[in-house]
């Protein structure tokens, strides 16, 4: 499966940077190349899927793939993976947008009281017993723990053990694509904002240092551009 970004420090800046770096280093599909074909890679795939315990960031677990090879590999993995199916449908929303675009606001406005929300930064802050302040995600150890927790939540959702809809908030185009394949019944919502609005909302986060705000704004601009270039669109796009 491709880049799942991350929000494990990866669903946002870390994964976006790593994915781009890997594709710059190796721009051709590795599986096509092995067959003597020259095809541009469009995503970074995890050789051992994250849901099966594969490492998120280890370069040894990453490979560039074209869309066709990725679809074929994902289908084989889904076919071969044993599933103990729970009683609930794997329904929900994938909410994609840049930092500051208003993803959390959309979820607050539309999620039911019984729904579950995965927002990496807020989940981590809650587990630490404090409110999230919109700042950095955490240290390496915390991110590693969140990666394992994230995989467990995805497995429970996929296998029908979540007793309500799931709202999965992400800033990663790769993750949104991957989740749409893995959860056919989940719907996609793309949340967009102008660059001026992104800048205004991020600058309003006075609790961040100037350096943090500048880094977040740079990441938001890059992610917004990646979303626009991806061609992804969703129901109720905002």
């Amino acid at each position: 499966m491709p880049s799942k970004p991350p929000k494990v420090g990866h669903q946002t800046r870390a994964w976006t940077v790593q994915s781009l770096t890997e594709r710059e280093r190796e721009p051709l599909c590795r599986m096509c190349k092995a067959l003597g074909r020259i095809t541009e890679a469009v995503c970074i795939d995890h050789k051992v899927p994250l849901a099966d315990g594969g490492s998120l960031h280890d370069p040894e677990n990453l490979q560039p793939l074209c869309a066709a090879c990725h679809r074929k590999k994902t289908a084989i993995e889904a076919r071969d993976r044993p599933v103990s199916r729970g009683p609930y449908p794997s329904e929900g929303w994938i909410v994609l947008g840049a930092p500051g675009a208003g993803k959390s606001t959309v979820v607050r406005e539309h999620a039911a009281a019984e729904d579950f929300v995965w927002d990496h930064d807020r989940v981590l802050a809650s587990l630490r017993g404090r409110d999230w302040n919109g700042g950095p995600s955490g240290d390496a150890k915390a991110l590693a723990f969140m990666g394992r927790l994230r995989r467990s939540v995805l497995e429970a959702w996929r296998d029908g053990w979540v007793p309500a809809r799931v709202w999965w908030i992400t800033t990663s185009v790769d993750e949104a694509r991957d989740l749409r394949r893995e959860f056919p019944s989940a719907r996609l919502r793309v949340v967009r904002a102008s660059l001026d609005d992104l800048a205004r909302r991020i600058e309003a986060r006075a609790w961040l240092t100037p350096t943090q705000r500048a880094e977040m704004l740079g990441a938001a601009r890059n992610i917004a551009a990646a979303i626009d270039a991806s061609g992804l669109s969703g129901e109720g796009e905002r």
Side-chain angles (χ1 to χ4, degrees):
M1 290 176 216
S3 3
K4 288 206 178 216
K7 267 220 169 163
V8 183
H10 58 318
Q11 262 178 289
T12 50
R13 289 172 298 212
W15 175 255
T16 299
V17 170
Q18 184 173 18
S19 178
L20 291 173
T21 300
E22 291 291 332
R23 276 182 280 174
E24 288 174 355
R25 184 178 61 82
E26 189 176 351
L28 299 180
C29 172
R30 191 177 294 178
M31 293 176 69
C32 283
K33 189 175 180 181
L35 296 173
R37 298 195 299 261
I38 303 300
T39 311
E40 183 181 3
V42 299
C43 66
I44 295 300
D45 173 80
H46 292 90
K47 298 177 189 176
V48 178
L50 302 183
D52 295 337
S55 171
L56 177 68
H57 288 296
D58 184 356
E60 293 298 318
N61 194 42
L62 303 179
Q63 62 180 347
L65 294 183
C66 66
C69 286
H70 176 256
R71 283 195 299 269
K72 181 177 179 180
K73 178 175 179 289
T74 301
I76 292 172
E77 290 165 349
R79 181 196 67 196
D80 294 342
R81 182 183 292 117
V83 175
S84 174
R85 183 70 203 176
Y88 307 106
S90 301
E91 296 180 340
W93 286 85
I94 302 157
V95 184
L96 171 67
K103 302 180 297 298
S104 297
T105 300
V106 166
V107 173
R108 282 197 302 270
E109 291 174 349
H110 297 282
E114 66 273 15
D115 287 350
F116 288 83
V117 178
W118 177 267
D119 183 336
H120 170 270
D121 297 322
R122 293 179 188 276
V123 170
L124 176 56
S126 177
L127 289 171
R128 285 178 159 171
R130 59 176 182 259
D131 293 333
W132 178 65
N133 65 2
S137 300
D139 56 38
K141 290 181 179 179
L143 297 179
F145 163 72
M146 289 297 292
R148 296 180 67 88
L149 179 61
R150 174 184 175 278
R151 289 195 294 273
S152 296
V153 173
L154 279 175
E155 289 171 3
W157 184 20
R158 182 196 66 209
D159 297 343
W161 295 105
V162 180
R165 293 184 304 177
V166 173
W167 294 76
W168 195 275
I169 297 176
T170 181
T171 61
S172 167
V173 169
D174 282 341
E175 179 173 52
R177 283 181 172 143
D178 195 25
L179 289 174
R180 291 186 79 184
R181 295 187 184 100
E182 196 164 352
F183 299 91
S185 61
R187 291 177 285 179
L188 174 68
R189 183 157 192 154
V190 180
V191 184
R192 302 179 189 272
S194 69
L195 294 181
D196 287 342
D197 283 341
L198 292 177
R200 177 176 53 79
R201 291 168 185 168
I202 290 172
E203 286 298 323
R205 298 180 179 183
W207 52 86
L208 299 179
T209 67
T211 298
Q212 288 172 338
R213 288 198 294 272
E215 289 177 350
M216 183 174 289
L217 181 56
R221 287 170 173 161
N222 290 337
I223 291 168
I227 292 172
D228 289 341
S230 72
L232 287 174
S233 61
E235 302 176 43
E237 184 169 330
R238 168 171 168 168

